[in-house]
Amino acid sequence: MTQPTSHAAPSLRAAGRIAIETAWQAAIRSGALPPVPPDAVVPTVEVEHPADPSHGDLASNLAMKLARPLRRPPLAIAEAIATELRTSAGDIFASVEVAAPGFLNLRLSDAALERALDVARTADAGFGRLTSDQPRKVDVEFVSANPTGPLTVGNARGAFVGDLLCRVLEAAGQDVTREYYFNDSGAQIEHLGASVAALKRGEPVPEDGYHGAYVEQLASDVPADVWAAATSDGAEADKVLGAWASVRVRHMIEASLERLGVRFDVWKSEASLHDEGWVSRAVERLREGGHVYEADGATWFRSTTFGDDKDRVIHRSDGRPTYFAADIGYVTEKFSRGFDHLIYIWGVDHHGTIARNKNAAQAMGFDPDHYEVLLVGWVRFVMDGVEVSMSKRAGTFVTLDDLLDAVGVDAARWFFASRAAHVAFDFDIEQARAQSADNPVYYVQYAHARICSILRKAAEAGIVPASTFTGTLDGDTVAQGLAREVLRLPEVVEDAAAAQATHGVTAYATGLATVFHGYYRDRRVVDPADPATSAARLALVDAARLALRNTLGLLGISTPEQM
RNA sequence: GCCCUCGUAGCUCAGUGGAUAGAGCAGCCGCCUUCUAAGCGGCCGGUCGCAGGUUCGAUCCCUGCCGAGGGCGCCA
């Protein structure tokens, strides 16, 4: 996986990493530590937040990593770096400790936390967004359901996961294009046209046709001129009506996606890839490279050259191109638009097609590492512990719109965001629908609303947040805890973008809400008798609001000011 | 048969070479005269599928086995 080039806005973790790196180098210069021998691997400085708060705010295993190459006990190495940190790291750390078997445990000072809070508040909506000197230009193709019917719950996960990924990458400073690929010609579309034609004529829908209320709606909506064109002499009614209907259906799909808050930058038609010659040129490119041959009357791509199980057909023996042919052309078309990286979001059932596509990209001279497929696992929609039937005949819960009607956009986004994309999971409709504490999304939104309520209360009392955080924490461990959690946001975004996954973001949101609720319990914010303390606490609570707002915003989830 | 993914608390899922494995839900017990109880505190609950191996250290990496799902088309 290629790492984004983005660098974090000042995160506390990054500050700790730099401080340790600097101290380590200083210890080498002073002779306290030997340099890493040339034949050994120089370890990277890893900094994490220890699970146990008694281990401090930040911890590093650097000394243990260095023990072998330096041939010294890890505790001695840690002590050397700690000594350097204590003398030259300024006022960033309140304490620097060494713990067995060689951990370096750091505790941040109030001053460091307060400065970071000031920066966060100034950044405002930009807090938690990273910048990049050279943003990676990435194309994310997802959903890409053919316009023969409304989006189904089967399409839902791809739609949410794709958009969530895009949001995370954007927050990490990357240049993201959301792309939807659709088949606007061929058999499926003709079947749709035939179905519409049949209903329009009052005949039954053909065997391989499409059913459902939307088809009837389409039939009754056919404009007179389209119908005339379809039924004129020599016209192919199915094709004409199919073309018209697929555009209508596509707009329907677009409206559903709009409802989820997903908007695509590019809608790419398969036909255009053929019409503009992308497919034939790509096949020619493969042929020139010796990767194409004819057999059994068909044209094949020699995918086995790159380790595939078998070679793959590009043109069938009847001359028609396969879907794979269009994929090949599409890859060249995408790279011609200057993307550094292509991401495809597919269902696990497409896993078998990854190899041939990646191989074709490689055969055409593209770096296969820049062709990435993320698979999304199956979802079972569960109610009362049993799977909800999704059969069209049952009439319930077939479309994506049904799902949104049942649980709402916020809950749907949360549930899809909080699971790793590639694993199968059960979507509990009851829990997602619950307007109560059972529902984690409300739990987090409630924290936000609660803060807004405090802010309103404060305004009534004439209390304004402190203009600077300097001196506001004042050794208060409860306040420090909230500040640390707030300030983790940039790290959470960095990690999410690197992992190309969002479940760390929902976990962070839940944790932040929990820490805030604890603060609310332990510290009264608005106290007219003590305006100075109130102003300090109000500023901190407002910073928590900022972090919650930006986190939920990142997930596309609303932030109500009262509930 | 071959390939991919998964197997962690009763349920749904995180975690991932490090310091006592986490969250939500469910269950049980407490807390509203004071900024929103959609909240807070506590309890219960795990041989991290099984067996080997690598490592100072493995739930995480490697091998084998067992179980679940998916893929192996001139379908998409």
Side-chain angles (χ1 to χ4, degrees):
Chain A
M1 187 185 304
T2 38
Q3 286 298 317
T5 55
S6 50
H7 55 262
S11 78
L12 296 174
R13 189 176 62 186
R17 190 159 45 217
I18 291 166
I20 290 171
E21 176 86 41
T22 305
W24 174 25
Q25 296 309 322
I28 292 172
R29 279 195 305 277
S30 74
L33 287 178
V36 176
D39 56 335
V41 178
V42 178
T44 53
V45 177
E46 291 172 26
V47 173
E48 60 169 17
H49 296 277
D52 184 342
S54 73
H55 296 140
D57 303 328
L58 299 169
S60 179
N61 59 1
L62 177 63
M64 288 179 283
K65 285 261 175 79
L66 284 171
R68 188 191 295 274
L70 300 193
R71 303 170 66 85
R72 285 200 183 190
L75 281 172
I77 297 169
E79 204 50 67
I81 297 171
T83 301
E84 198 61 48
L85 279 171
R86 291 191 192 103
T87 56
S88 58
D91 66 349
I92 300 176
F93 304 114
S95 72
V96 176
E97 289 166 8
V98 169
F103 286 105
L104 211 42
N105 291 336
L106 314 175
R107 196 172 303 280
L108 291 158
S109 67
D110 280 358
L113 294 173
E114 289 163 355
R115 282 194 297 267
L117 286 169
D118 277 327
V119 171
R121 178 159 63 180
T122 303
D124 195 37
F127 172 53
R129 301 192 76 85
L130 317 181
T131 56
S132 175
D133 302 328
Q134 286 188 306
R136 186 171 76 156
K137 192 168 152 61
V138 51
D139 182 83
V140 182
E141 184 199 312
F142 59 111
V143 187
S144 293
N146 281 342
T148 52
L151 294 178
T152 66
V153 287
N155 303 122
R157 194 176 188 178
F160 283 109
V161 166
D163 182 64
L164 287 159
L165 172 64
C166 289
R167 287 168 177 271
V168 162
L169 296 182
E170 284 168 341
Q174 301 183 35
D175 178 3
V176 178
T177 296
R178 288 171 176 76
E179 187 141 341
Y180 190 118
Y181 176 57
F182 63 96
N183 183 338
D184 53 346
S185 62
Q188 306 299 333
I189 301 298
E190 282 185 44
H191 290 325
L192 177 65
S195 305
V196 172
L199 288 174
K200 178 87 178 161
R201 294 192 181 102
E203 297 165 3
V205 171
E207 188 74 7
D208 48 7
Y210 289 87
H211 303 264
Y214 77 97
V215 186
E216 291 166 28
Q217 187 63 50
L218 286 169
S220 66
D221 286 353
V222 176
D225 57 329
V226 172
W227 183 247
T231 53
S232 65
D233 283 349
E236 294 176 272
D238 295 353
K239 277 191 179 170
V240 174
L241 285 172
W244 171 81
S246 76
V247 172
R248 280 290 294 255
V249 171
R250 190 150 54 80
H251 291 146
M252 225 163 73
I253 289 172
E254 221 166 329
S256 289
L257 291 168
E258 189 78 26
R259 193 176 162 199
L260 322 193
V262 180
R263 192 169 301 168
F264 284 87
D265 303 299
V266 175
W267 292 76
K268 193 76 186 175
S269 93
E270 183 186 350
S272 74
L273 294 173
H274 291 286
D275 296 345
E276 295 167 15
W278 290 105
V279 178
S280 53
R281 283 196 298 276
V283 172
E284 209 40 51
R285 187 159 164 180
L286 287 175
R287 196 184 298 279
E288 284 163 12
H291 301 295
V292 168
Y293 65 93
E294 315 291 330
D296 303 328
T299 306
W300 298 73
F301 167 58
R302 210 183 299 275
S303 196
T304 49
T305 302
F306 303 91
D308 200 353
D309 294 340
K310 53 190 75 169
D311 294 336
R312 306 292 174 173
V313 171
I314 299 173
H315 288 288
R316 301 175 174 94
S317 48
D318 64 5
R320 288 156 51 229
T322 59
Y323 199 86
F324 175 49
D327 285 341
I328 296 169
Y330 199 6
V331 171
T332 62
E333 194 275 341
K334 279 184 181 170
F335 277 119
S336 79
R337 277 184 272 151
F339 292 112
D340 302 308
H341 197 75
L342 307 182
I343 296 177
Y344 294 79
I345 302 206
W346 291 345
V348 286
D349 51 327
H350 281 64
H351 130 259
T353 64
I354 297 173
R356 77 194 62 165
N357 280 288
K358 212 167 176 140
N359 293 347
Q362 188 176 355
M364 289 187 293
F366 301 114
D367 183 344
D369 287 342
H370 293 158
Y371 183 106
E372 185 173 21
V373 177
L374 301 182
L375 296 177
V376 294
W378 297 119
V379 187
R380 295 194 326 149
F381 292 90
V382 174
M383 213 182 254
D384 292 326
V386 296
E387 183 171 6
V388 177
S389 161
M390 288 190 286
S391 84
K392 289 183 180 178
R393 278 183 296 280
T396 55
F397 229 74
V398 174
T399 67
L400 179 52
D401 287 320
D402 292 336
L403 174 65
L404 297 185
D405 290 342
V407 306
V409 174
D410 286 344
R413 275 189 173 276
W414 180 276
F415 274 67
F416 285 114
S418 57
R419 269 86 180 173
H422 68 280
V423 301
F425 85 102
D426 288 356
F427 190 115
D428 186 334
I429 301 291
E430 242 86 51
Q431 194 186 357
R433 176 151 55 191
Q435 304 265 325
S436 72
D438 296 359
N439 192 334
V441 67
Y442 287 103
Y443 175 79
V444 177
Q445 287 178 320
Y446 181 70
H448 181 269
R450 217 177 199 187
I451 295 172
C452 291
S453 174
I454 294 172
L455 291 170
R456 286 190 294 269
K457 221 56 168 199
E460 284 170 22
I463 296 168
V464 293
S467 59
T468 172
F469 282 94
T470 303
T472 58
L473 294 177
D474 197 27
D476 179 356
T477 54
V478 180
Q480 289 166 345
L482 181 54
R484 280 194 297 262
E485 197 64 11
V486 165
L487 293 168
R488 273 186 55 215
L489 178 56
E491 302 165 17
V492 170
V493 172
E494 187 183 11
D495 291 345
Q500 301 189 142
T502 52
H503 50 269
V505 180
T506 54
Y508 168 72
T510 308
L512 176 57
T514 297
V515 175
F516 162 71
H517 286 309
Y519 183 82
Y520 177 89
R521 178 196 64 222
D522 293 336
R523 296 289 180 269
R524 182 167 190 88
V525 177
V526 179
D527 178 7
D530 188 351
T533 301
S534 294
R537 291 177 176 175
L538 197 58
L540 178 58
V541 151
D542 193 42
R545 181 191 57 80
L546 178 63
L548 283 168
R549 192 193 71 195
N550 291 359
T551 303
L552 289 177
L554 173 60
L555 299 171
I557 294 170
S558 67
T559 45
E561 296 187 1
Q562 44 190 331
M563 292 173 72

